[in-house]
Every structure is written in C-alpha cells, then in structure tokens.
Amino acid sequence: MAEKKFPSGFLWGAATASYQVEGGIENTDWAQAARDGKVPPCGSACEHYTRFENDFDIAKSLGHNFHRFSVEWARIEPEEGRFDEREVEHYRNVLRALRVRGLEPSVTMWHFTLPLWFSETGGFERSDSPKIFARYCAYVAGKLGDQCTHFTTINEPMVYAGKGFWEGLWPPFRENILRHLHVVSALAAAHRAAYKAMKKVRPEIQVGVTKHNIFFESNSNPFNIVLHVFIDWFWNHRFLQLIYGHQDFIGLNHYHHKKFGTTPRERAAAVRSDMGWELHPASLYHSLIALKRYGLPVYVSENGLADAVDSRRTEFIKNAVRSVHRAISEGVPVKGYCYWSLLDNYEWASGYGPRFGLVEIDYATQERRIRKSAYVYKQICERNALLD
Ligand code: FCB
C-alpha cells in the first residue's frame, strides 16, 4: 500500500449552510416561496442554530480541523440598514465553539437565501445592490474578523443566477436570459465592492468566492468541441474573470461532469448518486487543474453526494482525495478540502429527501447517527494521508 501524504497544515473538514441546517428562519425569499407553495418548507431543519456545539463535537470526533458554514443575512440585517447585535453574538459564539475544538473556520456571507426586504425590493436587480451587499459584508467582517481569517462573499453565483433567472426553479422564479446575464454582472459588481469594503475594515483577512465548476469535455465531433469550449468558459471561468484581482483564493464547489457527445453505453455505465448526478472518479482533479491558471490558493469548499444507504460515499471520498493529491502534485496550490455536508440537510427545491451528510439526521427526533463512510474520512483527516 502506498501512502498519499498531504502537505502539513492541510485542512480537512465539512461544510454546511445556514438556511439548510439552522432552522427557524422565516424572513427570507425561500421561506416566502415555501409559504407560497413553490418550494418545500424548511421548518426547523437540523436545529443546528441551538445544537451547533454538539455538532462541532461530532466534527472534532471525526478528525476534522476545518469547517465551512454561512451566516444568515436575514438574521443579521432583518431590516434594510438595521443590524442585529444579538445575531452577531450568536455567530461569534459559533466561531468560538469551532476554535476551542481546533476547527479552523471559513465563513460564507451569503449562501442563496436573501432577506425578504431585499428580495421584495428587487434583490440583485436593484441598481444599488452592490453597495447594499458590500455594507452588509463589511459589517460582518468587522464583527467576526478577529475570530476568522477566511471569508467567502457569494456561494455559487452562477447557480443562483441560473436556477433563479434562467431555469426559473428557485426564487425569484424568472426565466429570462437577459435578466440572468444582468444578475451575473450585478453579482460580480457586488463581490468586487464587498471585497474592497471587507479588506478596508480588516486588511488581514482572506476573501474569495465559492465557485461551482463543472468538468466539461467532449467527443471528437467538432460541433461538440466548440460547444464544450464555450460552455466551459461561460459557466466555469467567466465569473472568475469578472472578479479578477478581487480574490485572495478560489473556493471550488464541485459536483458534476458533463461530456458532450456521450454514447448510450457511457451513459448506461455511469455510476450515479441518489440525485442522479454522475460520479466521475477524476472530475475533481480536472476541475482543480483548470484553476491552476489563476495562480491563487484553492480550497475545495464543497464536494459530496447524496447517498442515503451510504454504499457509494466511501469510494467517492477516496476518489476525491486521490484527485486532490494528484492536483497538488501537479502544482495546484490546494490548501483544504470540505466534504458537503457534515449533516443531512434541506436540499433546496428537493427538500429533505436527499441525504448528503457524513452524519445522518432523524428529523423526527433530531438524533444524529454517524455514517460508516465518515470513519473512513476520519482516518484520512487524522493521518493527513490516504493509504491507497
Ligand atoms: C451546492 C450548494 C449546497 C448544496 C449542494 C448539494 O450547489 O452550494 O448548498 O445544496 O449543492
């Protein structure tokens, strides 16, 4: 058996997002969409808002030394321009709870859900949205920046704009490509403004985005080659180019592989998660290599699968770790890996069906049960290596 050793100080952990795990958040566009019957209700989720210390005990017991989570904008700024100190104190307690357990925190400012006052007045279609977002981010960086050095502004801008303004499946349920393009530009402007405002308040912190990138490839058909090159640029690189010079690292959220021109045999042979997403063993490697050109540190900020019976998660994690190791050995400065997710949680329009967690949640009792694959990941985290 060979040992795939990682650089010392490599960060290993898992990610969550506030709306998906905390519970009790009613003043967002998603909560409103649930009241309107357009998406499943979120309700009390994993009650992580009150159970976070217990959940971090579990993360620590699983060998993690890194944890990515998001703060809920609607809690911190419940009305336009009014900030709630008690909620800030809550997140300071969350950060302290991570620190005392030796878990390095990474904070995401905005993970899909918007405060109602903002969504109802136009959200990122408002002409002053970059200013509003930057004010919120600077406020949070000022309040939390002594406890945390690693911040991301926006989670998956292309997914937010794609689902909400192109496919019309998520709030605000628009299907308009022009609006989609406008919102992508507004998000880039919002990130740039937030980056500058945060660095002004706390020059010492590291600020980036988490970018959902897909491994695209094609067969040898010239049409498919052109299509693949264009889509690869449009989905994976355009936003990163729009924010060029305004990021200290790149957060990579990776889930998908798409080949233009697959054969029926390839489609039939693909191994899939419970979401029907193809599990390509080396797609994370290819997505990491594609980020080398930016010359920035990279964190795998999300990577995981829905697998209720936990039959594919162990192999998935091992493949991911192999991918990261290979990318590092080829010169990509990957600094950490976050499995998605620590806990089963609210999977947006798919509700509570999909099970992404290292830890299973019984939603009736809030009981936590650690899945077997989490122990395999634990060995990797503790050894800082994969025995392969
Ligand atoms: C990502 C989202 C995250 C989660 C996973 C499965 O795109 O950032 O909240 O839903 O997908």
Side-chain angles (χ1 to χ4, degrees):
M1 254 196 208
E3 192 181 46
K4 291 194 161 64
K5 191 87 192 132
F6 280 72
S8 94
F10 192 85
L11 295 169
W12 297 102
T16 63
S18 48
Y19 192 72
Q20 293 176 275
V21 294
E22 284 184 357
I25 301 169
E26 296 300 335
N27 56 343
T28 66
D29 53 349
W30 273 82
Q32 187 57 47
R35 286 188 288 271
D36 295 341
K38 294 179 174 171
V39 296
C42 184
S44 48
C46 313
E47 296 181 356
H48 181 70
Y49 189 76
T50 50
R51 295 173 185 265
F52 64 90
E53 296 198 52
N54 174 52
D55 293 336
F56 297 160
D57 283 340
I58 297 174
K60 185 182 175 195
S61 80
L62 290 175
H64 299 189
N65 60 7
F66 189 33
H67 184 73
R68 174 177 172 236
F69 71 101
S70 70
V71 295
E72 186 65 39
W73 185 357
R75 286 193 192 275
I76 295 177
E77 191 178 357
E79 290 164 33
E80 185 163 353
R82 182 175 74 78
F83 294 94
D84 189 334
E85 289 284 340
R86 282 168 319 170
E87 295 293 354
V88 169
E89 198 43 41
H90 168 79
Y91 289 117
R92 288 186 64 80
N93 288 335
V94 170
L95 286 168
R96 281 186 207 111
L98 288 169
R99 288 233 168 269
V100 297
R101 289 165 179 79
L103 293 150
E104 180 68 29
S106 168
V107 168
T108 301
M109 296 292 186
W110 171 53
H111 196 121
F112 293 154
T113 46
L114 293 176
L116 257 187
W117 60 261
F118 184 57
S119 61
E120 285 181 343
T121 54
F124 282 98
E125 291 181 284
R126 268 174 76 153
S127 58
D128 60 353
S129 62
K131 218 169 95 193
I132 288 179
F133 185 63
R135 179 181 62 187
Y136 158 68
C137 290
Y139 174 82
V140 176
K143 296 287 179 182
L144 304 186
D146 59 330
Q147 298 278 332
C148 178
T149 50
H150 192 273
F151 288 89
T152 58
T153 54
I154 303 179
N155 181 68
E156 301 184 349
M158 295 301 289
V159 172
Y160 172 76
K163 294 275 188 196
F165 292 86
W166 186 321
E167 293 181 75
L169 298 172
W170 289 8
F173 306 102
R174 309 255 192 273
E175 288 174 74
N176 182 321
I177 292 173
L178 290 179
R179 278 187 180 207
H180 164 89
L181 293 173
H182 170 72
V183 165
V184 171
S185 302
L187 293 175
H191 169 81
R192 292 192 303 263
Y195 179 87
K196 285 189 213 139
M198 290 166 73
K199 298 290 271 197
K200 199 164 162 197
V201 180
R202 294 267 182 198
E204 68 281 12
I205 63 176
Q206 299 290 298
V207 181
V209 284
T210 48
K211 187 67 191 51
H212 179 287
N213 277 9
I214 297 173
F215 168 40
F216 292 111
E217 57 175 341
S218 70
N219 64 3
S220 55
N221 174 314
F223 176 76
N224 284 332
I225 292 174
V226 172
L227 191 64
H228 137 239
V229 169
F230 174 74
I231 303 272
D232 181 45
W233 168 76
F234 184 78
W235 183 267
N236 288 336
H237 296 288
R238 184 166 155 261
F239 193 85
L240 292 172
Q241 289 164 357
L242 289 171
I243 62 167
Y244 187 77
H246 295 78
Q247 43 185 347
D248 303 321
F249 64 87
I250 299 175
L252 169 67
N253 289 4
H254 179 71
Y255 294 93
H256 298 287
H257 163 240
K258 161 90 187 145
K259 179 171 175 182
F260 293 93
T262 48
T263 61
R265 182 187 288 198
E266 282 172 329
R267 281 196 294 280
V271 180
R272 294 181 191 279
S273 75
D274 295 351
M275 298 288 281
W277 300 351
E278 187 202 330
L279 307 175
H280 183 292
S283 69
L284 177 58
Y285 161 77
H286 292 287
S287 287
L288 285 168
I289 289 291
L291 295 178
K292 195 173 170 181
R293 67 187 77 168
Y294 295 97
L296 290 169
V298 176
Y299 292 82
V300 179
S301 34
E302 284 182 32
N303 177 238
L305 80 166
D307 179 17
V309 298
D310 204 33
S311 63
R312 286 151 293 173
R313 192 172 281 105
T314 295
E315 197 47 37
F316 177 93
I317 290 174
K318 285 186 180 170
N319 280 333
V321 172
R322 287 181 190 116
S323 281
V324 175
H325 190 267
R326 188 171 160 207
I328 293 175
S329 72
E330 292 176 26
V332 187
V334 190
K335 304 294 180 194
Y337 175 86
C338 265
Y339 176 81
W340 178 272
S341 176
L342 179 63
L343 311 170
D344 286 343
N345 59 55
Y346 176 79
E347 178 48 29
W348 306 113
S350 303
Y352 286 106
R355 301 286 183 152
F356 279 89
L358 293 171
V359 179
E360 180 186 349
I361 303 284
D362 179 333
Y363 292 106
T365 62
Q366 288 296 335
E367 196 191 326
R368 273 77 171 138
R369 275 184 234 111
I370 298 172
R371 292 197 164 99
K372 281 206 181 111
S373 53
Y375 293 108
V376 176
Y377 184 47
K378 173 183 160 121
Q379 285 181 351
I380 296 168
C381 301
E382 287 181 345
R383 280 202 184 108
N384 197 29
L386 172 70
L387 284 183
D388 209 7

